[in-house]
Amino acid sequence: MKTLCFVNQKGGVGKTTSCLNIGAALQRQGRRVLLVDLDAQGSLTKSAGIRALDSEAVTVSEVLSGKGTAEEAIVRREDLPDILPGDIRLSGTEVELIGAAGRDFILKEALEPVAGDYDYVLIDCSPSLSVLTLMALTASDGIIIPVAAQYMPLDGIMQLMQTVEIVRRRMNPNLKISGVIVTLYDARRGLDKSVYEAIKEKFPDEIFTDIVRYNSKIAEAPTFGKDIFAYATGSIGAVAYRNIAAEIRRREEK
Ligand SMILES: Nc1ncnc2c1ncn2[C@@H]1O[C@H](COP(=O)(O)OP(=O)(O)OP(=O)(O)O)[C@@H](O)[C@H]1O
Ligand SMILES: [Mg+2]
C-alpha cells in the first residue's frame, strides 16, 4: 500500500479535485484505491457523491477519536474508489486531539488494519498546516502538491517544505515529495507560464509531465457527484488526470 497526501496550505488550488480524479483514474487502471477526507469542509466526500452523512454514521472523526474503526467507516463502492468520509465534525475532533498522546500517529495507526485491502490510499487535506495535516504527513509515503498557476506560490511552498522537513525529523523520516501538479493553468495568461517555469526549476524531478489546464468540465463534475471520467471522459481534464495517474504508477511501482 502506498499512502499519498494532497497538501498545500493555500486554498482553492485543486487538492480535492486532484485527489478525487487521480483516485478514480488509478481505480480505472486496475488499482485498489481508498480516498480519505481529512478536511472539515467535506468537499471530497461530497464530490464523490456522498451527500448527507447522518449523525449516526461512523466517519473519519470517530475513527480518529477511537469511537469507531476504519473498517466500519469506509464506504465501499463498486467500480469506484472506496472512501473514508469526513465532514464538519472533523473541526471538533481536531480540537479534541490537540493534546492527545502520540497525536501525529493516530491516522497512520487507524489505517493499518485496512492496509492489505488497497494499493493506494489518497488523503485530501485542508488548506492549512494543522494537526490533521500533520497526521496525514505522518501517515504518508509521499506528498503530492497541487499548485495553481495563477498565483506566484513560492513563499507558501517554502513554508510547506519546512513543515515536511520537521515531519521527516520527528515523525516520518521516509516522507518524500511524490509529485507537484500545476493546476488551473491558462495558456493565455503570461503569469501562468512564469509560474510553470518557476515550479519546474524548483522541482525538476517532481513536476508531472502533464499540466492540468483550466477546464470547465472539471469544475462541473463534482456538482453531479462524479469524477471527470464518469462526467466527461474525453475532456482535456480527463486526459491530464489519466496521464498523471499513470506517471504516479511509474514512479511508485518501479
Ligand atoms: N483544472 C480545473 N479547471 C477548472 N476548475 C477547476 C480545476 N481544478 C479545480 N477546479 C475548481 O476550482 C475550485 C477549487 O478546487 P479544489 O476544491 O479542488 O481546491 P482545493 O485546493 O481542494 O480547495 P480547498 O483549499 O478549499 O480545499 C473548485 O470549484 C474546483 O471545481
Ligand atoms: Mg479541498
Side-chain angles (χ1 to χ4, degrees), residues 9 26-28 35 37-38 60 91 127 131 135 139 147-148 177 193 234:
Q9 72 274 30
L26 288 169
Q27 171 89 23
R28 282 165 187 260
L35 304 175
D37 194 347
L38 214 58
V60 70
S91 33
V131 169
M135 283 187 202
V147 177
I177 310 298
K193 288 198 193 80

Side-chain angles (χ1 to χ4, degrees), residues 10-17 39 41 127 184 212-215 218-219:
K10 179 138 190 67
V13 296
K15 293 180 288 294
T16 303
T17 304
D39 182 354
Q41 298 178 91
L184 289 154
V212 183
R213 290 169 191 279
Y214 182 88
N215 177 214
I218 290 182

Side-chain angles (χ1 to χ4, degrees), residues 14 17-18 21-22 25 183 212 218 229 237-245:
T17 304
S18 299
N21 289 316
I22 290 170
T183 62
V212 183
I218 290 182
F229 309 103
V239 172
Y241 277 119
R242 199 178 284 127
N243 290 343
I244 290 171

Side-chain angles (χ1 to χ4, degrees), residues 23-25 27-28 31 33 76-82 227 230:
Q27 171 89 23
R28 282 165 187 260
R31 300 302 183 273
V33 179
R76 291 175 202 278
R77 310 187 302 164
E78 279 295 314
D79 304 323
L80 285 171
D82 288 354
D227 60 66

